[in-house]
């Protein structure tokens, strides 16, 4: 009887559907002034989603709270702080971890649009 109850509970939890979601975390590191050459962006995929590492010139007082990601169709759009005239800017290395369902095909990182190709 205990085995049957355990089996029924397992079936119940496995059969639950997952609705759409979008989770992201950002780590921002100051790397210097904006006149330095900017390295290429990289993307790493794993079972928990994707990790993007890219460099961007942002206001000197930028924090992770100033960053948002929204979904529009099959694309993700990042919203970085706008630079106002007279603001001091700094080159940041941004590490963005994204876990989302359903999958997306494009992501806009700052001014660059990156196509996501699935790896099988």
């Amino acid at each position: 009887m205990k085995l049957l109850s355990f089996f029924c509970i397992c079936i119940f939890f496995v059969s639950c559907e997952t609705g759409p979601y979008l989770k992201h975390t950002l780590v921002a590191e100051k790397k210097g002034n904006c006149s330095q050459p900017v390295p290429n962006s990289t993307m790493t995929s794993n079972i928990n989603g994707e990790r993007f590492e890219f460099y961007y010139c942002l206001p000197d007082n930028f924090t992770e709270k100033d960053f948002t990601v929204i979904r529009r169709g099959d694309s993700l759009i990042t919203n970085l702080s706008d630079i106002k005239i007279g603001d001091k800017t700094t080159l940041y290395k941004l590490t963005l971890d994204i876990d989302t369902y359903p999958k997306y095909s494009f992501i806009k990182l700052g001014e660059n649009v990156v196509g996501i190709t699935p790896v099988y």
Side-chain angles (χ1 to χ4, degrees):
M1 186 68 177
K2 289 181 183 181
L3 186 59
L4 180 62
S5 298
F6 177 76
F7 183 74
C8 290
I9 290 172
C10 287
I11 295 292
F12 174 77
F13 284 114
V14 170
S15 66
C16 294
E17 280 191 39
T18 301
Y21 62 89
L22 171 62
K23 299 175 188 173
H24 72 279
T25 56
L26 178 77
V27 176
E29 302 173 48
K30 288 184 180 182
K31 289 296 181 181
N33 60 25
C34 289
S35 62
Q36 295 176 327
V38 178
N40 291 334
S41 302
T42 61
M43 181 188 94
T44 308
S45 280
N46 61 31
I47 195 163
N48 292 331
E50 287 80 29
R51 170 172 280 183
F52 297 92
E53 292 181 351
F54 61 104
Y55 293 81
Y56 207 77
C57 259
L58 294 166
D60 193 41
N61 59 354
F62 176 80
T63 64
E64 287 87 352
K65 295 176 185 173
D66 299 332
F67 180 81
T68 59
V69 177
I70 58 172
R71 177 187 284 278
R72 291 229 173 103
D74 71 341
S75 300
L76 299 181
I77 300 171
T78 61
N79 184 14
L80 297 166
S81 294
D82 292 331
I83 299 173
K84 297 174 183 69
I85 296 174
D87 281 351
K88 183 179 176 188
T89 58
T90 303
L91 182 65
Y92 281 88
K93 176 185 178 187
L94 302 174
T95 304
L96 174 62
D97 291 317
I98 293 185
D99 185 18
T100 183
Y101 177 80
K103 290 293 185 188
Y104 55 98
S105 300
F106 300 95
I107 184 168
K108 182 178 179 191
L109 302 171
E111 299 299 320
N112 301 322
V113 176
V114 178
I116 306 301
T117 54
V119 177
Y120 298 105

